[in-house]
Amino acid sequence: MKLLTVAIPCYNSEEYMEKSIRSALNGGEKVEVLIIDDGSTDSTLDIAKKYEKRFPNIVRVVHKENGGHGDAVNAGIKNATGEYFKVLDSDDVLGKKAMAKVLNFLEKAVNESLNIDMVITNFMYDKQGVKRKKIMKYKHAMPTGKVFTWDDVKLGQTQYLLMHSVMYKTEVLRKSGLELPKHTFYVDNIYVFTPLPYVNRIYYLDVVFYKYYIGREDQSVNESVMIKRLDQQYRVTRIMLDDYCHMNISNKRLDAVLVHYFDMMMCVSTIMSLREGSRLRLKDKDELWDHLEAKNPELYKKVRKSLLGRSMNLPGKYGRKTSEFFYKVVQKIFGFN
């Protein structure tokens, strides 16, 4: 049995995918490395098959028609045989020492039937041209060294459970019915958000498992690219709103985590609209908030009254400039985009 499936969605990734694959191979035969070729037109598939031939007991290649990152993740979940599931983007890497610690814990969890639904680890923002790398940790937001539930989770204002920090039990992902939309960017937010109500037992490992490279001009998280793809951001935010409205949440701490995450999505949509600055985008931004209020008035009140909600909706021209200033300060502190 494989303890962990590392799914690597690849689309025209020939320039950087091998570094990513090699980092996953550090897990040895306890890991299944699932390379999903999403209809690449370069040598991505040839490279993937090379590793499959060289490591037949570890690497499997799934070749499919192009459907976008989310559809590649869907294929990964469908084909995974590992007890747990981790998405690794083809331009990022997993830490070697952290991998050993993660696998030791997963082996213990399986052998002792701990029934962990989600494992959380730290991740690093590795931004080009920046010497000091930012590590995102969770040790003040949740217990370490023991199994816990949502009642023990209290995320700080700037802490979020992102794709880089979570490993789901594969069964949980399948039970949740998660189906990411095709040809849509920023679906990693849906990937984290939608299965959360199916999580009961959680474990936090205080290790930096994921190194997230940012700074390339063509990356989807580059600010200029995000502004060009605002329609995608709006779409993902609306999907998450629909998902939230269909959730039956009784645990207040879980609801707080979900609201906190959705609050961040509304903030990103709003600030990118302000950064773009056109009348069309400002109108789109207002329509998104109106849609939220009409769809779920209670959630609207929570998000609108939050620190992010208030700071992103300051009135008038100078209010918008103040919102952008706050965004730039936070961007500088945390090094994203």
Side-chain angles (χ1 to χ4, degrees), residues 179-336:
E179 185 75 21
L180 300 177
K182 293 183 177 181
H183 301 295
T184 305
F185 289 90
Y186 313 120
V187 294
D188 52 309
N189 296 293
I190 304 173
Y191 171 82
V192 176
F193 185 83
T194 298
L196 289 179
Y198 294 86
V199 170
N200 295 303
R201 293 168 62 82
I202 312 167
Y203 198 93
Y204 168 55
L205 277 173
D206 188 12
V207 295
V208 181
F209 190 32
Y210 197 107
K211 184 179 288 188
Y212 177 34
Y213 290 107
I214 56 176
R216 291 201 337 264
E217 291 185 0
D218 63 335
Q219 277 185 302
S220 60
V221 294
N222 181 285
E223 182 180 300
S224 62
V225 176
M226 291 183 73
I227 288 173
K228 290 177 182 178
R229 293 174 178 164
L230 261 171
D231 287 340
Q232 307 275 307
Q233 183 71 34
Y234 298 147
R235 183 186 182 196
V236 167
T237 303
R238 287 171 183 262
I239 290 172
M240 290 170 67
L241 173 58
D242 288 343
D243 286 350
Y244 179 84
C245 290
H246 287 96
M247 293 174 183
N248 185 19
I249 308 299
S250 58
N251 187 290
K252 290 184 178 180
R253 286 288 178 86
L254 169 57
D255 187 62
V257 171
L258 291 165
V259 171
H260 182 55
Y261 202 121
F262 188 77
D263 186 22
M264 181 266 289
M265 293 297 294
M266 289 298 295
C267 174
V268 172
S269 297
T270 300
I271 195 63
M272 290 300 136
S273 299
L274 294 177
R275 297 287 283 167
E276 201 270 1
S278 70
R279 289 183 180 180
L280 175 62
R281 286 312 184 197
L282 294 178
K283 180 183 177 183
D284 288 339
K285 181 261 297 182
D286 291 340
E287 288 179 350
L288 184 63
W289 281 96
D290 290 343
H291 177 70
L292 169 58
E293 185 176 22
K295 186 89 174 178
N296 194 317
E298 184 177 349
L299 179 60
Y300 170 82
K301 290 178 182 178
K302 291 177 182 178
V303 173
R304 188 65 178 79
K305 292 180 179 179
S306 73
L307 179 60
L308 286 179
R310 293 196 305 270
S311 64
M312 291 301 109
N313 286 282
L314 298 173
K317 179 180 178 181
Y318 292 106
R320 292 198 297 269
K321 288 185 178 297
T322 303
S323 297
E324 291 188 63
F325 172 77
F326 286 145
Y327 161 74
K328 290 177 182 178
V329 170
V330 175
Q331 182 188 49
K332 188 172 182 62
I333 292 173
F334 292 100
F336 54 81

Side-chain angles (χ1 to χ4, degrees), residues 30 61 117 206:
K30 294 179 180 179
V61 176
D117 298 315
D206 188 12

